[in-house]
Amino acid sequence: MRTLTRILLLTLAAALALSPWIPATHAQQASISAAPHSAIEPASEAHRFPTQTLHYDAEWRLWKAGSATLRIEPSGEMEHVIATAEASGTVAVLYRVEDRIESYFDRRSNCSDRILKHSEEGFHKRETTLLFDPAHGKSVLDERNLRSGETKHQETDSPACVTDVLSGIYYLGSQRLEPGAVHVFPLNDGGKTVDVTAFVEGRENVKTDAGTFRTLRVAVYSGAGPLKGRGKLWVWYTDDASHLPVQMRSRLFWGTMTLRLTRVDK
């Protein structure tokens, strides 16, 4: 059930690193075969990272599963992203979820700097820090179980520049998104770095409580991770310079989770 937390913490935050998706058409397969090598690219010239808070409702199998927020704000030369998730309704009865994740990334290079996690999932309660050390090519993870006091320290080889499961949604939104476009980039969540592929499937109108939006539907997948072969992920970005993520959907072995934008605060 820890997967539920990650999906609720912006469906992408789980599936961006873990959920593979197989292109359905020969045209998609051809585009992906010609995809560039995996790399983190700077934001497109037209893109600016906004200061705002996005509010989402989460739906699981037609039930309201909870709510999530995603905020981005400047912090020196970094962008600071804060995500929260809380289960509600039937899902909360089955499994209590209250999580907060923070991420910092360099707005010029788009490289992740660090992630801070506070997780309360069922009977589990832990705090995790993940630092990226490009000089030594390492990601350094420190985790503490707040109930038992047990600690964990892990250092893993990592490319000099990667994104993470939270900053990744802003990284992808900072790139040029046009139907047929493919973006391949390295992503690290404290374990092995995986190459993530995003394929822009096409344009679509999406209606949420926040309004009706002309969007670009992006399929995101990876061929590695514990959910390999067991799920699919889509993100709908507004078809404008802001690339606002108005809807996210993850289809996993235990059901479909959809997050829809309900409002935007400055």
Side-chain angles (χ1 to χ4, degrees):
M1 290 296 292
R2 291 184 65 185
T3 302
L4 172 60
T5 303
R6 292 187 169 196
I7 300 301
L8 193 54
L9 260 175
L10 301 196
T11 291
L12 68 105
L16 192 58
L18 303 177
S19 296
W21 169 84
I22 304 301
T25 69
H26 294 299
Q28 291 174 346
Q29 292 172 348
S31 295
I32 290 171
S33 297
H37 292 296
S38 178
I40 298 296
E41 301 290 345
S44 63
E45 293 183 3
H47 188 79
R48 297 292 181 271
F49 294 108
T51 298
Q52 64 183 13
T53 302
L54 308 178
H55 297 262
Y56 297 88
D57 278 344
E59 181 183 280
W60 175 55
R61 293 183 175 178
L62 302 181
W63 292 328
K64 181 177 179 181
S67 59
T69 65
L70 183 63
R71 176 164 180 79
I72 183 169
E73 59 189 18
S75 178
E77 296 183 351
M78 300 283 178
E79 291 292 333
H80 181 198
V81 184
I82 310 106
T84 65
E86 183 175 356
S88 64
T90 303
V91 171
V93 173
L94 296 173
Y95 195 77
R96 179 175 177 271
V97 175
E98 290 185 12
D99 279 12
R100 177 184 174 95
I101 300 181
E102 300 182 49
S103 175
Y104 293 81
F105 68 93
D106 189 308
R107 70 171 62 91
R108 295 171 300 178
S109 65
N110 265 334
C111 300
S112 290
D113 181 74
R114 62 191 184 275
I115 309 173
L116 312 172
K117 300 181 182 180
H118 177 87
S119 303
E120 297 185 28
E121 308 166 6
F123 295 106
H124 300 284
K125 188 175 182 180
R126 60 177 58 84
E127 287 187 347
T128 305
T129 300
L130 176 62
L131 303 177
F132 296 103
D133 183 359
H136 297 92
K138 298 287 185 181
S139 64
V140 182
L141 182 144
D142 286 288
E143 185 174 273
R144 182 170 181 265
N145 187 313
L146 299 180
R147 293 189 179 275
S148 67
E150 294 180 355
T151 60
K152 173 184 176 181
H153 178 82
Q154 177 180 311
E155 296 188 13
T156 307
D157 291 340
S158 178
C161 183
V162 299
T163 189
D164 59 73
V165 293
L166 187 55
S167 299
I169 187 170
Y170 286 104
Y171 168 72
L172 188 53
S174 76
Q175 302 301 293
R176 294 186 63 182
L177 300 179
E178 299 176 350
V182 181
H183 297 278
V184 184
F185 51 94
L187 186 146
N188 187 298
D189 190 29
K192 179 182 177 181
T193 300
V194 298
D195 287 337
V196 173
T197 300
F199 182 84
V200 184
E201 294 184 325
R203 291 183 168 88
E204 183 179 331
N205 289 329
V206 171
K207 185 176 181 180
T208 75
D209 288 349
T212 300
F213 303 90
R214 180 67 168 169
T215 71
L216 291 154
R217 186 180 66 252
V218 183
V220 186
Y221 63 97
S222 173
L227 296 183
K228 181 178 180 180
R230 301 172 73 184
K232 297 181 180 182
L233 170 73
W234 294 266
V235 183
W236 284 258
Y237 290 95
T238 54
D239 188 12
D240 55 25
S242 67
H243 287 165
L244 189 72
V246 300
Q247 181 171 276
M248 290 165 271
R249 177 171 297 148
S250 185
R251 187 173 298 159
L252 301 176
F253 61 95
W254 46 266
T256 297
M257 178 77 77
T258 301
L259 285 91
R260 295 185 178 91
L261 186 70
T262 57
R263 76 175 194 271
V264 180
D265 295 335
K266 299 298 184 180

